[in-house]
Amino acid sequence: MTHTIDYCLPDGMSAETFLAEYWQKKPLLIKQGLPALAGMFEPEDVLGLALEDGVSARLISQDDTNPDQWSLKQSPLSEQDIDQAPTLWTILVQNLEQWSPELGEMWSHFDFIPKWQQDDIMVSVAPQGGSVGAHYDEYDVFLAQGFGERRWLLGKMCDANTPFVPDQPIRLLDDMGEIIFDEVLEAGDVLYVPPGLSHHGIAQNDCLTFSFGFRRPNLVQIIDEVADVATNHSELFRVLTLPQAKQDDAFELSRDSITAMKQTLVDFINSPLGDEVVRDAIAELVSKRQYELLAFEDELSPTELKSRLSDGECLALNPACRFVHVANQWYINGECVCLSDSETKLLATMVAGDALSIDDIKTDNLATLAQWLNDNWLILL
């Protein structure tokens, strides 16, 4: 069963226009970009989740007598933390798709951006006046209002040299520059903010804001992953053979020696084996999860799975998992996965589809699907 997903873009705007004119360049207000998000959750839902074991949450607040002084409390949070919080507070909960597959399905509205760039869905819950201050992010984010209203101010572009307010537990800007955007978002509205753009959101009433974040790896992460993958290739442990000229200073590591080793590294990167190592490293890196994967079900046998499906349940991809492929090679949750031709076709069917009912599944596939379910790649709906 498949269905068409509406992109989270303004009416009449194509994905090509957004990517060419806005992506990583300038902000965009998308009125009612995610109407299905409106009312999906209430503040009490998020507050309850923030207290659960294993949830990554933060309580950020401003001192009642000195609002310029901020405090930060990391999870685990308690009811007492919330009850005794100052008047102006915000609770942030990461990785919401892990706890709500229904919310995780919202990622599909952003499929004009490759899924390997998806980070996580974070939610911010706050009472009137609550905020996390003026700041900027180093990644792309779609700020989606799910409950209540939040006023957003956008200002200047920032970089690594932009100063922060000193002696605060969170990164706060003391100057947003000229304000280029000042509007209140209602439930269902979405605001795209590119990396580096200063922004400040203030709750106008009890509200929930969902952040759909997109990011790419940095060079240090790529280099580290390449080194890790390279250890699987014994031929790369051979000591280098390098030309050696006579040196007057025996203690010197010469520029020529460094240049020769650098060239050997460049030659390796550009070789067929280098292509393989870099491909595997990047694919494994971008398919890694930041958070431990939550198991939704006890392990099921193929027979038990068939029974559940016969009772009307369906199988779908777990939106908290990360699926990446290069050609027909799949990488799932940071691992290169070896699949047979039939398994590759089955996974491709699930990636392209909405959900599988008992009528869509061949008996021969039940064992594979049960294993994938037990590995938490799939969920039952």
Side-chain angles (χ1 to χ4, degrees):
M1 301 182 295
T2 60
H3 63 274
T4 302
I5 297 292
D6 292 328
Y7 286 158
C8 180
L9 291 172
D11 290 342
M13 179 179 290
S14 68
E16 291 78 8
T17 296
F18 172 79
L19 294 172
E21 299 182 10
Y22 293 90
W23 179 246
Q24 300 191 339
K25 297 182 182 72
K26 58 185 180 181
L28 178 66
L29 175 62
I30 310 167
K31 294 295 291 183
Q32 292 303 296
L34 289 178
L37 186 61
M40 182 180 289
F41 301 90
E42 296 188 354
E44 291 75 14
D45 301 324
V46 175
L47 292 175
L49 179 60
L51 304 178
E52 295 285 341
D53 290 338
V55 173
S56 177
R58 290 169 286 165
L59 170 61
I60 297 173
S61 56
Q62 296 170 258
D63 189 87
D64 282 335
T65 58
N66 180 15
D68 291 333
Q69 183 58 50
W70 296 70
S71 63
L72 169 65
K73 173 71 165 59
Q74 301 272 10
S75 56
L77 301 179
S78 67
E79 291 187 17
Q80 186 177 33
D81 291 325
I82 298 175
D83 293 340
Q84 296 181 356
T87 303
L88 299 180
W89 57 268
T90 296
I91 287 180
L92 305 174
V93 180
Q94 302 286 157
N95 195 33
L96 258 291
E97 61 266 61
Q98 170 81 323
W99 306 94
S100 172
E102 182 184 14
L103 178 64
E105 292 176 1
M106 291 283 179
W107 277 123
S108 60
H109 295 282
F110 300 95
D111 277 355
F112 50 94
I113 303 163
K115 285 186 175 295
W116 64 262
Q117 297 187 39
Q118 292 175 0
D119 190 18
D120 77 329
I121 305 173
M122 181 186 74
V123 65
S124 165
V125 56
Q128 183 177 4
S131 168
V132 296
H135 65 285
Y136 75 91
D137 299 311
E138 296 176 346
Y139 52 90
D140 302 85
V141 64
F142 291 83
L143 301 165
Q145 197 63 24
F147 185 94
E149 300 173 325
R150 185 181 291 270
R151 178 189 177 192
W152 283 103
L153 305 174
L154 306 181
K156 67 181 181 181
M157 291 297 296
C158 304
D159 57 32
N161 297 316
T162 301
F164 295 108
V165 179
D167 303 321
Q168 296 289 353
I170 58 176
R171 299 197 319 173
L172 294 170
L173 297 171
D174 59 3
D175 178 21
M176 290 181 62
E178 179 184 356
I179 299 302
I180 62 171
F181 179 94
D182 183 351
E183 291 202 36
V184 173
L185 268 64
E186 300 174 335
D189 292 344
V190 180
L191 176 63
Y192 166 69
V193 179
L197 186 66
S198 58
H199 51 285
H200 186 191
I202 307 105
Q204 303 299 287
N205 41 44
D206 290 349
C207 80
L208 295 176
T209 303
F210 295 81
S211 301
F212 292 77
F214 292 83
R215 72 172 76 214
R216 280 69 48 196
N218 60 49
L219 281 177
V220 172
Q221 290 174 308
I222 293 174
I223 292 169
D224 184 61
E225 195 71 28
V226 167
D228 185 57
V229 172
T231 62
N232 298 321
H233 298 270
S234 59
E235 60 268 46
L236 298 179
F237 286 91
R238 288 198 299 265
V239 176
L240 298 182
T241 300
L242 299 173
Q244 182 62 62
K246 174 66 172 63
Q247 292 185 196
D248 294 331
D249 181 355
F251 288 93
E252 179 189 10
L253 171 61
S254 70
R255 181 180 297 275
D256 287 344
S257 294
I258 294 173
T259 299
M261 284 187 271
K262 177 181 176 182
Q263 187 59 53
T264 302
L265 177 60
V266 170
D267 291 343
F268 160 68
I269 292 294
N270 290 327
S271 71
L273 178 57
D275 285 343
E276 178 185 340
V277 168
V278 172
R279 178 203 66 202
D280 287 347
I282 293 177
E284 289 182 12
L285 176 61
V286 300
S287 68
K288 284 183 177 178
R289 288 180 38 77
Q290 287 193 65
Y291 306 95
E292 184 178 353
L293 193 61
L294 180 70
F296 285 98
E297 301 279 346
D298 293 331
E299 290 200 0
L300 297 180
S301 68
T303 301
E304 291 169 327
L305 174 59
K306 182 178 180 180
S307 176
R308 296 278 293 270
L309 293 170
S310 298
D311 288 339
E313 293 185 79
C314 296
L315 277 172
L317 294 183
N318 183 348
C321 278
R322 297 184 68 87
F323 297 86
V324 173
H325 73 88
V326 180
N328 287 326
Q329 179 60 62
W330 282 92
Y331 301 80
I332 303 175
N333 298 332
E335 294 184 3
C336 180
V337 178
C338 293
L339 301 174
S340 67
D341 289 343
S342 61
E343 290 172 336
T344 298
K345 291 179 181 178
L346 181 60
L347 182 58
T349 298
M350 296 210 67
V351 168
D354 181 25
L356 297 182
S357 68
I358 187 64
D359 296 331
D360 303 315
I361 297 172
K362 298 178 181 178
T363 301
D364 293 345
N365 292 331
L366 279 170
T368 296
L369 292 172
Q371 183 60 56
W372 291 357
L373 179 67
N374 295 333
D375 288 338
N376 302 311
W377 297 1
L378 309 179
I379 56 173
L380 282 165
L381 301 175

